[in-house]
Amino acid sequence: MSKAIAPDFTLSAATPSGGLETRALSTDTATPLVYLAPMSGVTDLPFRRIVARFGPARVVTEMVASESLATGDADMALRLAGAGMAPHIVQLAGREAHWMAEAARMAEANGADVIDINMGCPAKRVTTGWSGAALMRDLDLAIDLIRATVGAVAVPVTLKMRLGWDRRSINAPELARRAEAEGVRLITVHGRTRDQFYEGRADWPAIRAVVEAVTVPVVANGDVQSFEDADAILAQSGAAGVMIGRGAQGRPWFPAAVQRYLATGIREEGPRGAALGDLVAEHHAAMIDHYGPERGIRAARKHIAWYFEAAEAHLAVPAGLRTAILTSFDVEAVGRMLREAFDDRAPRRAA
């Protein structure tokens, strides 16, 4: 199978363009690049740091609402955080060109190396405000937002979309062509329509029409849960890279493992036993530091549940211990219990 090459967003010498600096993209990677998908409530800074620590996969922030960021919303500022991320890729969402441009400038000023535009989120709370995937119902508005964002910053701008709003309106190739003409440098396509949400299987072959419509690299997204899935999505879509979303939940090492697999053919396993317990406890502590105790404990619980789910094939955690971990507000006690739960050498308390 031939593997196309997605650009490595390494900053090179800037050149003037329209009064702004354009930072060129390097394309010297030897294999398709792997990305961690932006996921609201999931890809916060603690999770991105853990994913990035395992290796070369690129990570993207949670969706940042442009107007809320530009008008001082503290939660959006927290989502923007990217200290230590290289490259720091920030995803913005919105429905007004003014706010998209302002938020893009703020993100760039705060260290963003790449701005990604969200036109793929299917959530009703997003699409009812004509953001996310709803923009695929109004391509002229979508292009206005792209044009404003590209024109506001010197860093590369990318785009994430779905196949269309529904099966009667598959317009991803048209949006991709128009986006490329406005200066978008890379396009990610989730292989479902908005009305599918996350039901059924992603249509990987349908992404090929977008690949064939543009000259910029296309990254394929949707249902990549294994090394075999990574091979299949690249083969069926012809894409230049892979984006992994839910496949990384409870498995933060998986995007980097896929990146190395595509380069070497070696299938790496994630940490187990005491090493896994230390990792989960560290993730839990990082969530407390990032959000504060009460919010951090609550936010960490879904991640802990995903770690339990991912480890089920090789680890049996007593129900009583699992319940104690997922209900306790004692930070130190949870850390100790997490190490006990994942250390397969530790004596087990009764269920």
Side-chain angles (χ1 to χ4, degrees):
M1 177 185 79
S2 63
K3 293 185 173 77
I5 298 172
D8 181 347
F9 288 108
T10 301
L11 302 185
S12 61
T15 56
S17 176
L20 294 175
E21 289 183 336
T22 299
R23 301 175 185 178
L25 306 181
S26 169
T27 56
D28 57 1
T29 54
T31 58
L33 287 183
V34 177
Y35 295 81
L36 172 69
M39 293 178 281
S40 289
V42 180
T43 56
D44 52 20
L45 185 57
F47 187 64
R48 283 181 281 128
R49 281 176 170 163
I50 288 176
V51 172
R53 192 172 67 192
F54 281 96
R58 272 58 179 162
V59 299
V60 187
T61 67
E62 300 175 79
M63 179 182 68
V64 177
S66 57
E67 182 176 358
S68 296
L69 176 67
T71 54
D73 184 275
D75 281 344
M76 292 303 110
L78 196 63
R79 289 187 173 204
L80 181 64
M85 296 289 96
H88 179 31
I89 306 175
V90 174
Q91 188 184 73
L92 298 178
R95 61 179 178 179
E96 295 185 33
H98 167 73
W99 295 122
M100 287 293 290
E102 185 60 27
R105 284 189 284 265
M106 291 177 66
E108 182 181 36
N110 280 274
D113 298 306
V114 179
I115 304 295
D116 185 63
I117 300 175
N118 183 317
M119 295 190 181
C121 180
K124 187 175 181 180
R125 62 182 175 81
V126 175
T127 58
T128 52
W130 279 94
S131 297
L135 290 163
M136 301 199 75
R137 303 179 72 183
D138 186 346
L139 297 194
D140 289 340
L141 175 58
I143 294 304
D144 285 345
L145 302 183
I146 291 169
R147 184 179 298 125
T149 306
V150 171
V153 295
V155 297
V157 174
T158 64
L159 175 65
K160 189 170 190 291
M161 66 173 77
R162 288 198 164 215
L163 296 174
W165 179 257
D166 56 32
R167 281 289 172 183
R168 296 181 300 277
S169 55
I170 302 295
N171 57 0
E174 180 184 354
L175 176 56
R177 281 192 296 268
R178 294 179 65 178
E180 179 181 23
E182 295 297 334
V184 162
R185 308 290 286 276
L186 180 144
I187 295 165
T188 300
V189 183
H190 183 109
R192 289 182 175 88
T193 58
R194 185 270 176 183
D195 69 345
Q196 289 179 278
F197 287 87
Y198 296 98
E199 296 178 358
R201 288 287 298 176
D203 188 348
W204 297 338
I207 298 172
R208 185 174 289 274
V210 179
V211 174
E212 294 173 349
V214 295
T215 61
V216 297
V218 174
V219 174
N221 173 228
D223 295 339
V224 178
Q225 299 278 348
S226 67
F227 298 112
E228 293 83 0
D229 288 341
D231 277 333
I233 196 172
L234 288 168
Q236 293 178 30
S237 68
V242 179
M243 181 171 278
I244 298 170
R246 291 171 294 163
Q249 292 174 354
R251 301 189 300 167
W253 54 85
F254 183 59
V258 171
Q259 181 74 80
R260 283 188 287 270
Y261 164 73
L262 293 173
T264 68
I266 298 173
R267 301 168 187 237
E268 301 174 358
E269 292 187 352
R272 291 189 180 187
L276 180 55
D278 288 342
L279 172 68
V280 181
E282 180 183 343
H283 190 175
H284 178 261
M287 297 288 280
I288 306 302
D289 289 341
H290 188 65
Y291 292 111
E294 183 173 350
R295 182 178 175 187
I297 287 171
R298 294 183 184 278
R301 285 174 177 163
K302 60 178 172 289
H303 288 279
I304 295 170
W306 289 327
Y307 282 115
F308 283 142
E309 183 180 350
E312 283 178 351
H314 59 82
L315 184 70
V317 180
L321 178 56
R322 178 172 177 152
T323 298
I325 289 170
L326 293 175
T327 57
S328 175
F329 282 91
D330 186 326
V331 175
E332 292 185 3
V334 170
R336 289 193 301 270
M337 289 189 289
L338 283 170
R339 288 182 169 88
E340 176 187 343
F342 287 97
D343 187 349
D344 48 18
R345 300 167 300 176
R348 294 297 186 193
R349 64 177 72 183

